[in-house]
Amino acid sequence: MTGRRYSVAPAGRPAEFPPAALERIEKILARYPTKQAALLPVLWVAQETWGWISREAAEEVARILDLPAAHVAGVLTFYTMYNLEPVGRHLLQFCTSISCHLAGAEGLVEHCRNRLGIDLGGTTPDGKFTMVEVECIAGCDRAPSMMVNDAYHEPMDLASLDALLGSLP
Amino acid sequence: MTFEPVLTARIGRDRSQSIDTYVADGGYEALRKVLGGDWTPEAVTEEVKKSGLRGRGGAGFPTGVKWGFVPKDTKGKPVYLLCNADESEPGTFKDRLLMEKDPHQMIEGQIISAYALKSRTSYVYIRGEFFHGARVLDRAIAEAYEKGFLGENILGSGFSHDITVHRGAGAYICGEETGLIESLEGKRGQPRIKPPFPAVFGVFGAPTIVNNVETLCCVTHVMKRGAEWFAKIGRNEKNTGPKLYCLSGHVNRPGVYEAPMGLPMKDLLFGDAFGRGMKDGRTVKAVIPGGASAAMLTAEEIEDCPLDFDGLAAKKSMLGSAAIIVMNEDTCIVDAARNLAKFFSHESCGQCTPCREGTPWLHRVLDRIESGEGRAEDVDLLEKISNQMANGMTICVFADAAIAPVLSSIGKFRDEYRYHVENRRCLVGSRASVEATA
Ligand SMILES: Cc1cc2nc3c(=O)[nH]c(=O)nc-3n(C[C@H](O)[C@H](O)[C@H](O)COP(=O)(O)O)c2cc1C
Ligand code: SF4
Ligand code: FES
């Protein structure tokens, strides 16, 4: 089930949005009839600000939107794209849904795992890469499809994956 | 008669996203016409009804009829229009193309639809992974405001409308319209019990209409060229208009193809203008015609199979999101079913016990059959679990979708399941290897 992550990790320091982020949040709030409806967009602002959403960040969002912290935590754990702990500089997202599966996506995952020495969900010790499996990302005609952070890379094979991993800073 | 592409006509054009090229190609003419004084909102709805347009999001419900469900007297409440751009059904990638390449086609349709619904505010609920699509839309919407196609008193008509792009954050179930509504309200995207239906009680407790990206694009052309023109395209009067098909899997040329509704499946797979046949000269073993949620068809069943709502219903499957996934003779059906079951197990929203417990159970049983550890009673067990999840035992139809690949693959390839259990291995070469792509 979607909400299979249960906890939001603490960062150990308070989260305060920088002024530019607060301005964006003001603009977001103006587009909705309720404060709660701004929750997903404001969580995106939080993730763009810190790269992940800590317990402190979630509490700050709850404060700004007048929501119970438990509600924010419930939402955070439901959606898979919010990072509940720090992730590597490059988030490698491999699609293994049906069309990519038929094109051998698992072979790519296996290859990447061996090359980086980490498992799905893991991050390399230097903090460069995190690799995860995702469900269909609408790139099925160019299977196997993958994303690195917010960009698509498709179609992939072992050689293009090697080239990609080698080229990322 | 040769078919001129409608929805994809501008896709290859240079700077197809910009409002200048869109207007130069006759864009926003439909909106000017509709707001020009001769069209009441009711007349627009009537025109859409007459066109025979059925929703492109999956269910195929007649669009104009759905709009008609909004109460005449909304008791002072606003009406919301939500564009469903969550596109997450495995095998589907048409809305991504429409939004990334020709955003104004959709925006124009959305403004016209809003006018028909007397809606002041609409949202585009776009899946979180479409970072690029969301940026393209944001820019296009800003252009539309600048040119006076959005905002206060559009083109001096007295009609005002605002559109906001709202990004999801990774959850297939937010494509189900009430899951989408919950998500837009800032909650977990868990579908609602119906009734009440969204047209009466939707987002923020107000009347709400949810329409797919492609549906809204079609509205633009219905109003530009007329319902009669639209209704003439397609196999028959119940299956009208141009349609985008998402072709993927073991064909030579996967991609998005536009054709009149009701294109024969064989043409899509083998036609020169489309898939150009099976990769490496293999033969067809099975085809999923409408995304992960649709029952599989055998090679025999696709012989005479129009790709439209009624053509596929007649085969006890569905057009769904028009995601046609082709599997060749080397594909292990149990492996494919296991992959689909993994998807549904991952994406169940968890509200209903049969779905929350049933989807991972199906996945576990399929996994053990595929891994050569199946038990004699496992195939019956899969059917038993499925039957307990079906037929209104759950809040939404996700559970019915989850069992479709399981039941159809067992029904049509029972021998292959039996072979796995008896011989503890696959009948054909098992999983796809990445070498297939190398
Ligand atoms: C589990 C599930 C997932 C769905 N996902 C989508 C989707 O990603 N996009 C979409 O347009 N419709 C999706 N739908 C269909 C919507 O509920 C709704 O019927 C549709 O958006 C209505 O628009 P239309 O009438 O224009 O087709 C889904 C339905 C279900 C049950
Ligand atoms: S059927 Fe499944 S996805 Fe739909 S509401 Fe119930 S648990 Fe959620
Ligand atoms: S199945 Fe991988 S992108 Fe659709």
Side-chain angles (χ1 to χ4, degrees):
Chain A
M1 161 190 141
T2 315
R4 91 180 65 189
R5 304 176 306 166
Y6 298 106
S7 66
V8 185
R13 57 190 133 73
E16 224 179 285
F17 281 104
L22 286 174
E23 247 171 66
R24 277 179 67 198
I25 292 172
E26 278 309 307
K27 282 201 188 122
I28 290 168
L29 281 165
R31 311 293 296 189
Y32 299 92
T34 67
K35 278 187 166 181
Q36 181 176 279
L39 179 54
L40 266 65
V42 171
L43 288 173
W44 276 117
V45 175
Q47 180 141 311
E48 283 161 31
T49 304
W50 294 291
W52 67 294
I53 299 175
S54 64
R55 189 175 302 166
E56 292 86 349
E59 282 164 4
E60 179 63 2
V61 169
R63 192 187 62 77
I64 292 173
L65 299 180
D66 286 329
L67 293 169
H71 177 85
V72 176
V75 165
L76 269 175
T77 51
F78 185 80
Y79 298 93
T80 54
M81 292 185 76
Y82 295 127
N83 303 322
L84 305 188
E85 48 189 65
V87 295
R89 211 153 58 241
H90 305 290
L91 180 61
L92 310 171
Q93 302 149 77
F94 292 92
C95 173
T96 54
S97 290
I98 187 73
S99 304
C100 293
H101 176 71
L102 293 173
E106 275 82 0
L108 281 181
V109 173
E110 196 52 41
H111 183 72
C112 188
R113 208 190 247 148
N114 291 333
R115 185 175 156 145
L116 300 182
I118 53 174
D119 240 326
L120 284 171
T123 301
T124 53
D126 60 1
K128 189 165 171 186
F129 296 111
T130 298
M131 71 182 279
V132 296
E133 197 179 25
V134 295
E135 298 295 351
C136 182
I137 48 180
C140 336
D141 54 340
R142 283 173 282 183
S145 178
M146 72 175 294
M147 293 178 79
V148 181
N149 298 340
D150 57 2
Y152 280 85
H153 295 269
E154 50 188 20
M156 296 301 290
D157 58 21
L158 299 183
S160 51
L161 178 60
D162 278 333
L164 176 67
L165 293 178
S167 71
L168 292 172
Chain B
M1 196 179 77
T2 53
F3 171 73
E4 287 284 325
V6 178
L7 301 167
T8 55
R10 303 187 64 258
I11 297 271
R13 198 188 197 293
D14 191 34
R15 295 177 56 242
S16 60
Q17 300 92 339
S18 90
I19 200 162
D20 298 332
T21 66
Y22 185 71
V23 168
D25 291 342
Y28 288 109
E29 263 169 32
L31 181 67
R32 280 186 195 283
K33 178 166 116 183
V34 165
L35 297 185
D38 294 341
W39 288 88
T40 61
E42 292 75 16
V44 176
T45 303
E46 274 313 305
E47 190 74 2
V48 171
K49 274 187 200 165
K50 263 203 320 209
S51 75
L53 172 62
R54 294 171 68 175
R56 294 340 192 197
F61 197 83
T63 304
V65 176
K66 179 151 85 180
W67 292 358
F69 292 157
V70 172
K72 290 263 167 312
D73 175 11
T74 64
K75 307 210 166 66
K77 285 187 181 159
V79 177
Y80 289 101
L81 170 64
L82 309 181
C83 169
N84 190 342
D86 195 54
E87 188 161 68
S88 311
E89 180 76 23
T92 316
F93 41 89
K94 62 187 177 67
D95 299 340
R96 177 182 163 198
L97 181 83
L98 289 170
M99 291 185 288
E100 287 183 0
K101 301 293 184 198
D102 200 1
H104 286 289
Q105 173 177 238
M106 178 189 106
I107 293 167
E108 183 174 7
Q110 187 158 339
I111 304 170
I112 294 171
S113 305
Y115 173 76
L117 293 162
K118 302 183 188 152
S119 161
R120 178 69 175 76
T121 309
S122 64
Y123 296 90
V124 181
Y125 187 100
I126 186 168
R127 65 177 295 182
E129 290 84 351
F130 288 170
F131 293 90
H132 179 60
R135 281 191 290 259
V136 172
L137 281 179
D138 273 333
R139 195 170 320 127
I141 287 169
E143 285 177 326
Y145 272 103
E146 269 169 37
K147 301 266 179 196
F149 297 128
L150 273 173
E152 297 287 332
N153 189 16
I154 298 171
L155 302 171
S157 66
F159 174 66
S160 305
H161 191 71
D162 290 306
I163 301 183
T164 297
V165 175
H166 184 94
R167 292 181 54 221
Y172 166 71
I173 196 61
C174 294
E176 195 277 345
E177 58 184 4
T178 60
L180 186 154
I181 286 169
E182 287 284 301
S183 179
L184 182 58
E185 288 184 357
K187 302 186 226 160
R188 298 163 77 96
Q190 294 180 314
R192 293 179 178 174
I193 295 172
K194 286 148 283 208
F197 290 96
V200 177
F201 188 94
V203 75
F204 311 123
T208 301
I209 292 293
V210 182
N211 276 131
N212 172 259
V213 171
E214 188 186 346
T215 309
L216 295 178
C217 291
C218 285
V219 168
T220 301
H221 297 283
V222 168
M223 294 318 296
K224 189 167 168 179
R225 297 157 89 165
E228 258 177 55
W229 164 85
F230 191 92
K232 275 202 200 109
I233 303 171
R235 184 169 65 102
N236 57 29
E237 73 286 355
K238 290 251 162 60
N239 299 275
T240 64
K243 180 74 193 94
L244 299 188
Y245 296 103
C246 312
L247 180 62
S248 70
H250 297 136
V251 291
N252 280 319
R253 216 168 55 130
V256 177
Y257 295 106
E258 182 173 4
M261 181 69 88
L263 176 74
M265 169 95 81
K266 289 287 290 268
D267 288 9
L268 181 69
L269 267 54
F270 295 98
D272 264 357
F274 308 106
R276 295 195 184 155
M278 298 295 286
K279 221 161 119 181
D280 304 323
R282 295 285 202 285
T283 57
V284 177
K285 178 176 200 167
V287 179
I288 300 172
S293 310
M296 291 180 194
L297 302 177
T298 62
E300 216 164 90
E301 287 172 299
I302 68 162
E303 277 303 317
D304 165 30
C305 181
L307 286 168
D308 58 38
F309 301 110
D310 300 326
L312 284 159
K315 308 256 182 212
K316 300 208 162 44
S317 186
M318 61 177 188
L319 180 64
S321 55
I324 293 94
I325 305 162
V326 184
M327 297 180 266
N328 69 18
E329 66 210 274
D330 298 337
T331 312
C332 171
I333 286 296
V334 180
D335 179 52
R338 173 182 65 173
N339 179 276
L340 295 163
K342 179 193 72 144
F343 171 80
F344 289 108
S345 158
H346 184 257
E347 298 297 339
S348 165
C349 87
Q351 284 189 101
C352 320
T353 309
C355 175
R356 182 185 60 241
E357 301 300 325
T359 48
W361 194 4
L362 289 174
H363 180 229
R364 276 198 308 277
V365 176
L366 284 161
D367 193 43
R368 90 180 165 233
I369 299 177
E370 173 62 15
S371 317
E373 283 153 29
R375 305 167 193 160
E377 66 279 11
D378 272 352
V379 181
D380 293 340
L381 177 61
L382 287 172
E383 289 181 314
K384 212 168 101 194
I385 301 168
S386 298
N387 290 328
Q388 284 166 359
M389 293 165 61
N391 308 323
M393 295 301 292
T394 55
I395 293 173
C396 85
V397 297
F398 175 100
D400 300 83
I403 63 176
V406 180
L407 290 181
S408 61
S409 63
I410 295 177
K412 293 168 189 184
F413 300 93
R414 189 177 287 272
D415 285 350
E416 205 170 321
Y417 276 89
R418 204 174 291 138
Y419 187 95
H420 273 83
V421 173
E422 285 168 6
N423 299 284
R424 310 204 157 273
R425 63 184 179 84
C426 300
L427 182 60
V428 293
S430 71
R431 306 184 200 182
S433 73
V434 76
E435 274 68 46
T437 67

